[in-house]
Amino acid sequence: MRVAYDTPSARRAGGDTRLGADAHGLPKVAAPVQTMRNLAVDAGIDALIAPVRPSYKERYPLTDIQRYVTWTRGDGMLFNPWLRVHQRVGASIMKVARESMTISGTVADRETWAEMRLPSSGDHIVPGALAPVKMDVENDRGRCVEPNVWMLHALTRSSTDRRRRWGGTAQVSTWTGRWVPKEAVPASTSLWCDLRL
């Protein structure tokens, strides 16, 4: 992504958001992640695990996810912008899920989703897909298995020093409504406190 706001705080944020940075130098896209951390601390949770879709992986669909997550920038931060957002607020990579999401359909389905023709069987590079799409034209099937990355947020009171008061879970839904379509905003937000590792 390009930085739309060329300000000192946006440059400190690493230039990985079109939204610029907040007063703490964090990308504004980090606000919901930090809010999630704050709510978990308030609930007495010691750790939070976030499944993260590594968005820029679509640019490198042939690269193995295990290798991809080791890539870093010159400043030592993770290469992938969305993983880096989590890293900036204190998370670390816990585990790679090689088969996180399977998207299957007919050839017509896959061509509609890909907005391109997929005329032969075999692997195809499709815009937006994190891995090649495997087509079986003879059996009218297409399938893509995408990875994700589990990020571990170890939480303490001091890990949320940059906290902002959001007014609870209702405020999370209100804030989320500014960034995603109305139908994608959860009616309520829950914290799971009994996750066993």
Side-chain angles (χ1 to χ4, degrees):
M1 282 188 212
R2 290 190 198 131
V3 177
Y5 299 98
D6 188 23
T7 65
S9 62
R11 286 192 294 275
R12 277 195 312 278
D16 47 9
T17 175
R18 291 181 209 168
L19 300 174
D22 68 9
H24 305 291
L26 285 173
K28 287 185 182 176
V29 294
V33 177
Q34 188 63 47
T35 299
M36 175 182 68
R37 290 171 56 92
N38 294 344
L39 290 169
V41 167
D42 289 347
I45 296 172
D46 297 317
L48 195 62
I49 300 169
V52 180
R53 185 176 191 268
S55 54
Y56 270 26
K57 174 72 171 73
E58 70 183 42
R59 298 177 180 191
Y60 306 92
L62 300 177
T63 301
D64 180 73
I65 186 64
Q66 195 68 50
R67 191 174 95 191
Y68 177 79
V69 300
T70 66
W71 293 357
T72 57
R73 304 184 319 170
D75 62 1
M77 297 294 288
L78 292 170
F79 172 76
N80 183 275
W82 197 226
L83 298 178
R84 195 166 55 244
V85 164
H86 285 263
Q87 182 184 30
R88 284 192 191 288
V89 296
S92 59
I93 294 173
M94 179 180 172
K95 187 171 179 73
V96 167
R98 291 182 178 281
E99 299 179 1
S100 176
M101 179 171 58
T102 301
I103 307 148
S104 299
T106 65
V107 170
D109 290 338
R110 292 303 317 179
E111 288 180 341
T112 299
W113 297 332
E115 297 180 344
M116 61 186 278
R117 292 259 316 152
L118 302 166
S120 63
S121 293
D123 290 350
H124 294 268
I125 304 302
V126 172
L130 304 186
V133 174
K134 297 182 182 305
M135 297 302 298
D136 180 354
V137 175
E138 294 76 25
N139 292 305
D140 192 30
R141 299 304 302 161
R143 183 173 186 251
C144 181
V145 179
E146 290 199 340
N148 82 5
V149 180
W150 292 86
M151 300 292 289
L152 174 64
H153 293 260
L155 304 173
T156 63
R157 248 328 137 182
S158 62
S159 72
T160 57
D161 284 343
R162 293 185 251 201
R163 70 193 292 109
R164 298 177 198 159
R165 290 290 167 190
W166 290 89
T169 57
Q171 184 63 31
V172 172
S173 294
T174 301
W175 192 91
T176 304
R178 294 186 208 160
W179 303 102
V180 299
K182 187 171 94 175
E183 61 274 6
V185 176
S188 65
T189 307
S190 299
L191 295 173
W192 295 352
C193 302
D194 294 325
L195 182 64
R196 304 278 187 247
L197 298 178

